[in-house]
């Protein structure tokens, strides 16, 4: 009887629904705004800011709005970005400040430092290729068909200038006379050693030899999650800036002082002292005697970076120790095998091609 009643109710309610006109049937609600945290420890008393200083919008050849660039950066846990559209060679052709103006309100709302910048875009050899100028006041003033004028104007505005993707679309990466001219004229402060998917080890060596700042960016033109597969990498490539605080002034001071690292595709790239500081701040280990013959070592990692340590000296010790991000691993060692040993941190690059070496088991 109960069943019969239930069936009747279902049939009747079905009929009454069919008779009703519905404008829409809501399948879901707007999701809560979710922000990924980039877990990288602060080092050497500085705040480590996560930054991307190279991206495009429809104001040049990008197809994602300036406001969405801010939203993407916020969702991915970045602290600072610069929208750097290609600057026209023709005065007045377009408003080069437009992307910044469109995004600035959203950036304030989301707590993202938005640095006003642009991409000075010329051919390479002859010419200096592409370069980004950051901390500009008026990007329009850089419009010129003469690269010397654009760079001079950027310098006049106190810009931090870096050479973009020096190994992109060339057979051999090379330093040209134009870059010597820019460097000597105080118009070249850094190099984009990592761009999109590419690392340029020769450019990393130039940064060390000429005391230039290491920069790593996405140069994203489409939506960020169409450029990168975030099921394969945790975060977009970025520049880590060792800043005195989360302010635009702090960022600028740190960039001119060369206090940066590149974090891209799980690699940490930069000057040895900063790479070493980041590895030391991320990894820790404790040991405990298990019995008279063995010792247990627990390696822990507080960062998102997966560390791989590879033995380069000693013997009868593990050849490879992998310490995944935000994890710890236990390694049991026979006491008779314990000896001072050197390991290479394989997911680091210092001096171009070399990996940072660290001592273990001593
Ligand atoms: Zn470019
Ligand atoms: Zn670009």
């Amino acid at each position: 009887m109960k069943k019969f009643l239930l069936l009747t109710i279902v049939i009747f309610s079905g009929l009454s629904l069919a008779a009703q006109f519905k404008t829409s049937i809501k399948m879901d609600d707007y999701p809560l705004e979710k922000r990924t945290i980039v877990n990288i420890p602060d080092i050497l008393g500085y705040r480590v800011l996560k930054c991307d200083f190279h991206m495009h919008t429809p104001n040049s050849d990008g197809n994602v709005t300036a406001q969405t660039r801010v939203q993407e950066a916020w969702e991915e846990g970045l602290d600072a970005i610069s929208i750097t559209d290609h600057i026209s060679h023709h005065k007045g052709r377009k408003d080069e400040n437009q992307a910044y103006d469109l995004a600035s309100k959203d950036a304030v709302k989301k707590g993202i430092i938005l640095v006003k910048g642009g991409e000075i875009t010329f051919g390479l050899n002859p010419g200096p290729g592409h370069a980004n100028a950051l901390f500009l006041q008026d990007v329009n003033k850089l419009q010129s068909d003469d690269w010397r004028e654009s760079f001079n104007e950027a310098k006049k505005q106190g810009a931090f200038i870096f050479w973009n993707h020096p190994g992109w679309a060339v057979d051999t990466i090379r330093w040209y006379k134009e870059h010597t001219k820019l460097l000597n004229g105080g118009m070249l402060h850094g190099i984009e050693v990592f761009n999109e998917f590419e690392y340029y080890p020769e450019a990393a060596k130039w940064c060390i030899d000429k005391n230039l700042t290491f920069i790593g960016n996405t140069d994203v033109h489409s939506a960020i999650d169409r450029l990168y597969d975030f099921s394969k990498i945790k975060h977009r490539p970025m520049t880590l800036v060792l800043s005195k605080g989360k302010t635009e002034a702090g960022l600028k001071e740190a960039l001119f002082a060369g206090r940066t690292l590149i974090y891209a595709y799980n690699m940490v790239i930069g000057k040895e002292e900063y790479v070493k500081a980041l590895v030391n701040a991320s990894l820790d280990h404790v040991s405990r005697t298990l019995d008279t013959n063995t010792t247990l070592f627990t390696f822990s990692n507080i960062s998102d970076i997966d560390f791989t340590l590879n033995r380069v000296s000693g013997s009868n010790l593990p050849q490879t120790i992998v310490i995944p991000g935000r994890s710890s691993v236990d390694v049991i060692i026979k006491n008779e095998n314990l000896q001072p040993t050197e390991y290479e941190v394989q997911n680091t690059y210092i001096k171009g091609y070399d990996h940072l070496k660290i001592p273990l088991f001593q």
Side-chain angles (χ1 to χ4, degrees):
M1 183 61 192
K2 237 182 186 175
K3 256 186 193 168
F4 173 74
L5 188 66
L6 194 69
L7 194 67
T8 315
I9 291 168
V10 169
I11 290 168
F12 268 91
S13 61
L15 281 174
S16 70
L17 269 177
Q20 275 178 4
F21 178 85
K22 286 208 168 218
T23 301
S24 67
I25 297 171
K26 203 172 184 185
M27 297 293 182
D28 203 352
D29 206 346
Y30 289 106
L32 291 173
E33 297 235 302
K34 197 183 104 199
R35 178 162 156 93
T36 300
I37 295 169
V38 184
N39 293 288
I40 304 272
D42 290 338
I43 54 174
L44 302 170
Y46 295 108
R47 177 111 182 243
V48 175
L49 301 180
K50 294 97 191 175
C51 313
D52 185 356
F53 299 121
H54 192 166
M55 61 189 70
H56 295 270
T57 74
N59 208 28
S60 63
D61 55 352
N63 55 19
V64 163
T65 66
Q67 294 94 324
T68 306
R69 289 292 179 224
V70 171
Q71 181 70 21
E72 288 176 334
W74 180 84
E75 285 173 5
E76 286 175 54
L78 296 188
D79 295 300
I81 60 168
S82 185
I83 298 170
T84 52
D85 281 308
H86 297 285
I87 300 170
S88 172
H89 291 181
H90 306 280
K91 290 225 177 295
R93 173 163 287 179
K94 61 185 172 89
D95 178 8
E96 308 290 355
N97 298 308
Q98 194 193 57
Y100 177 90
D101 292 342
L102 286 170
S104 58
K105 255 194 205 148
D106 287 26
V108 170
K109 219 161 47 184
K110 292 290 190 190
I112 302 281
I113 300 172
L114 181 65
V115 176
K116 191 182 269 194
E119 184 165 12
I120 303 171
T121 310
F122 286 90
L124 186 66
N125 187 37
H130 298 187
N132 276 5
L134 307 182
F135 309 104
L136 292 169
Q137 280 107 52
D138 184 358
V139 193
N140 287 327
K141 289 186 176 162
L142 273 67
Q143 289 176 334
S144 173
D145 55 7
D146 182 342
W147 60 267
R148 292 164 201 84
E149 267 183 29
S150 297
F151 279 88
N152 274 320
E153 179 59 34
K155 184 187 175 183
K156 215 167 106 187
Q157 294 188 28
F160 175 85
I161 306 166
F162 58 90
W163 178 10
N164 293 345
H165 45 67
W168 170 70
V170 291
D171 291 333
T172 310
I173 186 166
R174 270 183 54 202
W175 178 274
Y176 295 97
K177 61 180 187 309
E178 286 86 347
H179 301 105
T180 302
K181 200 174 262 181
L182 288 172
L183 184 63
N184 293 341
M187 289 177 275
L188 189 62
H189 312 106
I191 307 178
E192 195 179 54
V193 168
F194 193 100
N195 173 280
E196 197 178 50
F197 313 116
E198 296 179 337
Y199 168 51
Y200 311 114
E202 288 301 317
K205 286 160 81 176
W206 297 335
C207 280
I208 291 162
D209 294 346
K210 300 171 198 300
N211 200 24
L212 293 165
T213 304
F214 278 77
I215 303 286
N217 297 315
T218 62
D219 198 358
V220 61
H221 287 67
S222 61
I224 193 80
D225 52 5
R226 295 186 75 92
L227 183 63
Y228 297 107
D229 181 348
F230 288 112
S231 67
K232 288 185 185 154
I233 57 168
K234 292 179 191 173
H235 307 292
R236 73 166 80 181
M238 62 183 79
T239 306
L240 303 174
V241 180
L242 282 59
S243 176
K244 286 176 184 164
K246 191 182 166 180
T247 62
E248 187 167 331
L251 200 62
K252 191 173 180 181
E253 186 276 331
L255 284 172
F256 274 106
R259 291 195 312 269
T260 63
L261 283 164
I262 296 165
Y263 168 46
Y265 280 80
N266 200 53
M267 297 299 295
V268 179
I269 304 163
K271 290 173 186 154
E272 184 168 359
E273 60 173 311
Y274 300 137
V275 173
K276 196 176 186 175
L278 185 56
V279 171
N280 286 338
S282 300
L283 299 183
D284 199 3
H285 76 274
V286 289
S287 62
R288 181 160 60 90
T289 305
L290 289 184
D291 51 51
T292 48
N293 297 321
T294 53
T295 303
L296 170 79
F297 288 84
T298 299
F299 293 90
S300 56
N301 177 3
I302 59 164
S303 77
D304 281 346
I305 306 158
D306 302 324
F307 282 97
T308 301
L309 313 181
N310 205 20
R311 182 163 56 77
V312 287
S313 72
S315 55
N316 297 321
L317 285 165
Q319 183 56 53
T320 305
I321 302 171
V322 178
I323 313 157
R326 305 182 77 194
S327 306
S328 72
V329 292
D330 282 355
V331 183
I332 295 169
I333 306 283
K334 278 187 185 166
N335 290 342
E336 65 189 49
N337 292 334
L338 281 177
Q339 56 180 309
T341 308
E342 209 171 30
Y343 277 77
E344 265 183 355
V345 187
Q346 277 201 318
N347 57 294
T348 61
Y349 280 124
I350 54 166
K351 298 171 192 153
Y353 302 91
D354 301 346
H355 303 302
L356 178 77
K357 290 192 177 82
I358 57 167
L360 278 189
F361 303 116
Q362 47 194 307

